Amino acid sequence: MWGDSMNIAIVGGTHGNEPVGLEVINALKNKRPEACIHKYETFQGNPKAFEMEKRFVDCDLNRAFGKNGIRKGYEKQRAEQLEAQIKGHFDLCLDIHTTTTNMGMTLILNNTHELTQRACAYLKSQFTDIKLIEEDILDEECNHLNRLSPAGITIEVGPVANNVIRGDFVSKIYEMIKSLLAWDFSPEGICLEEVEYYKVFKTLYYPEESGWYIHESIENHDFKEIHPGDILFINLEGDTIKYEGESAYPFFINEAAYLKNKSAMVLSKKLKGF
């Protein structure tokens, strides 16, 4: 497999209010990078949601795949179309997203395929500011779009407000994908045992009663370690709620898309070696 030409699917706009990915795939569609040695095709994930400037129309397209996928309405139709176009035709799927949180450049692994791990390790070696995240739900249990191919990576960058295009992130993602398209996927020089990454273990929720806010020591400080006794939440009276769990690295802190479910942040452990 290594060194051969890969078939790579590149998706932007899986969420209709995240246009940064569409800028990237339009650039790749209009002009093939000179050093590219792989076959690739670009896909707009959710055209109707983009027209409506909404995350989705009837259900989340990025939760619509695999055995645990949930499909209804327009996204059911679109998921079936993407499945027919991508599944069985591509080795690797890159799905481009943005977050309203201060996560910077991150790559999310929701599968344990060696091609996924090596691609992430390579990109981290080339772009040192990238952080790698491995989710807690992996492989066949995962319902994300990039699972349409054997290997898949979610590219997640932020902070970017919904329906806003940040040129710096467009440029960074474009350069990252261009570098991957020029790499021969050789295992040479890639040591998976030395790769640093964050492993998700828990989602932390807001208190049930309203009027609590994430404390300023944590807000906007994605990947800053928190410890037992650190203040998590505060209200207008100055009352506080402290963290009681094991030390962790939070991210997706106060993500706009997750507030409906009262998700305050995702907690992870820092590990080394896939």
Side-chain angles (χ1 to χ4, degrees), residues 31-219:
K31 185 179 180 181
R32 179 182 173 87
E34 291 182 4
C36 177
I37 60 174
H38 302 288
K39 300 174 183 177
Y40 70 84
E41 189 172 345
T42 61
F43 301 87
Q44 182 174 357
N46 201 326
K48 188 172 182 179
F50 173 69
E51 292 175 5
M52 299 171 67
E53 298 185 332
K54 294 174 59 177
R55 182 174 174 87
F56 54 81
V57 181
D58 296 304
C59 69
D60 192 334
L61 184 61
N62 202 34
R63 306 293 187 273
F65 299 91
K67 68 178 185 179
N68 295 318
I70 298 174
R71 299 179 180 182
K72 61 181 180 179
Y74 172 74
E75 276 75 21
K76 180 179 185 296
Q77 171 191 340
R78 188 65 186 131
E80 290 171 350
Q81 293 170 343
L82 289 168
E83 198 166 54
Q85 293 172 320
I86 297 175
K87 193 171 183 178
H89 304 292
F90 293 90
D91 304 299
L92 172 69
C93 180
L94 307 176
D95 190 18
I96 306 169
H97 290 259
T98 56
T99 171
T100 60
T101 68
N102 191 31
M103 285 171 56
M105 298 286 293
T106 62
L107 302 177
I108 302 178
L109 299 81
N110 47 46
N111 64 91
T112 57
H113 196 286
E114 186 180 3
L115 181 59
T116 300
Q117 295 175 340
R118 289 193 182 277
C120 287
Y122 166 77
L123 288 171
K124 184 168 177 59
S125 73
Q126 300 300 303
F127 302 88
T128 55
D129 60 332
I130 286 177
K131 294 181 176 65
L132 306 183
I133 300 167
E134 185 178 75
E135 292 192 336
D136 53 341
I137 300 176
L138 301 168
D139 299 320
E140 298 305 316
E141 299 299 317
C142 175
N143 57 7
H144 294 334
L145 184 147
N146 68 41
R147 297 305 298 125
L148 285 175
S149 62
I153 302 168
T154 298
I155 299 170
E156 188 85 59
V157 304
V160 185
N162 291 332
N163 297 308
V164 169
I165 298 172
R166 274 189 54 170
D168 57 341
F169 281 133
V170 173
S171 177
K172 287 178 179 179
I173 296 170
Y174 177 77
E175 290 301 319
M176 184 172 61
I177 292 178
K178 190 169 70 170
S179 176
L180 189 65
L181 292 173
W183 180 49
D184 65 1
F185 285 85
S186 168
E188 296 299 322
I190 303 296
C191 181
L192 298 182
E193 291 75 19
E194 295 298 320
V195 176
E196 181 181 276
Y197 67 100
Y198 296 86
K199 174 68 176 182
V200 173
F201 72 90
K202 184 178 182 180
T203 297
L204 195 64
Y205 296 90
Y206 280 94
E208 284 299 321
E209 60 272 21
S210 61
W212 289 96
Y213 311 99
I214 293 175
H215 192 262
E216 63 180 10
S217 64
I218 294 178
E219 188 76 80

Side-chain angles (χ1 to χ4, degrees), residues 209-241:
E209 60 272 21
S210 61
W212 289 96
Y213 311 99
I214 293 175
H215 192 262
E216 63 180 10
S217 64
I218 294 178
E219 188 76 80
N220 294 320
H221 293 291
D222 295 72
F223 299 106
K224 178 183 177 182
E225 190 174 16
I226 59 174
H227 305 277
D230 288 349
I231 298 174
L232 286 180
F233 303 105
I234 189 168
N235 63 19
L236 294 181
E237 285 70 43
D239 301 320
T240 61
I241 297 176

